[in-house]
Amino acid sequence: DTAVSQTPKYLVTQMGNDKSIKCEQNLGHDTMYWYKQDSKKFLKIMFSYNNKELIINETVPNRFSPKSPDKAHLNLHINSLELGDSAVYFCASSPQERGVQTQYFGPGTRLLVL
Amino acid sequence: QQQVKQSPQSLIVQKGGISIINCAYENTAFDYFPWYQQFPGKGPALLIAIRPDVSEKKEGRFTISFNKSAKQFSLHIMDSQPGDSATYFCAASGGSNYKLTFGKGTLLTVNP
């Protein structure tokens, strides 16, 4: 009964390729996020969706495009992969309730661009 | 601009000792301060959180101390255990978009 799941867990690909990472949450939350964790463990938010609507869009290259087909899913598509995209990408979700701001993270997708 | 500054970057503690990690923030609009724990190969998980209307919150061996005037908060782990070895992140958020701003993390190693 995984709360926030991501696929794939590992992704090894060549520079220039296009790849997608999928995320699903079964917690009934309204808000979902994508984070990037670099080799120094720094966690940086990339995007956030609330009920399929984009609410946070940090300074991220437009090669990265999130897509939310419904409020339980938030996918991340990356075009023209670069070496610097190698990182761990985490999906997270949280309820959209006043005073409840806990974010629940998925297990991560380890992306290696060669 | 780093809005949440965390120190130390790494910490080594003996079993049974006290681990202390500090964070400072700049944005006075922040009103929620969680700590996340991350084990190798796993996603971060909420450990404990505090709001600025209290100065301290304790859950088991974990305590957050909060100083609103100094814009600082810290995590204390009492009776540290080898199983506590992980990376700890402080974070802060405020406003309506629930965006969490994370500190850079502290790698805690508890020696047996």
Side-chain angles (χ1 to χ4, degrees), chain A residues 6 21 34-36 46 64 76 85 87-90 108-109 111:
Chain A
Q6 296 179 228
I21 307 171
W34 277 110
Y35 286 86
K36 179 181 180 180
M46 301 172 69
F64 291 79
L76 183 65
D85 297 332
V88 182
Y89 292 84
F90 287 101
T109 295
L111 171 65

Side-chain angles (χ1 to χ4, degrees), chain B residues 39-54:
Chain B
F39 292 107
K42 304 292 185 184
L46 179 69
L47 185 63
I48 187 172
I50 197 168
R51 292 194 181 276
D53 52 346
V54 296

Side-chain angles (χ1 to χ4, degrees), chain B residues 68-107:
Chain B
K68 187 174 181 179
S69 60
K71 293 189 284 186
Q72 294 174 346
F73 58 110
S74 59
L75 176 69
H76 296 236
I77 306 175
M78 311 299 287
D79 186 27
S80 299
Q81 299 297 311
D84 296 331
S85 297
T87 300
Y88 291 80
F89 294 93
C90 63
S93 72
S96 61
N97 65 12
Y98 300 97
K99 173 184 167 182
L100 275 178
T101 299
F102 282 87
K104 290 194 172 182
T106 297
L107 177 61

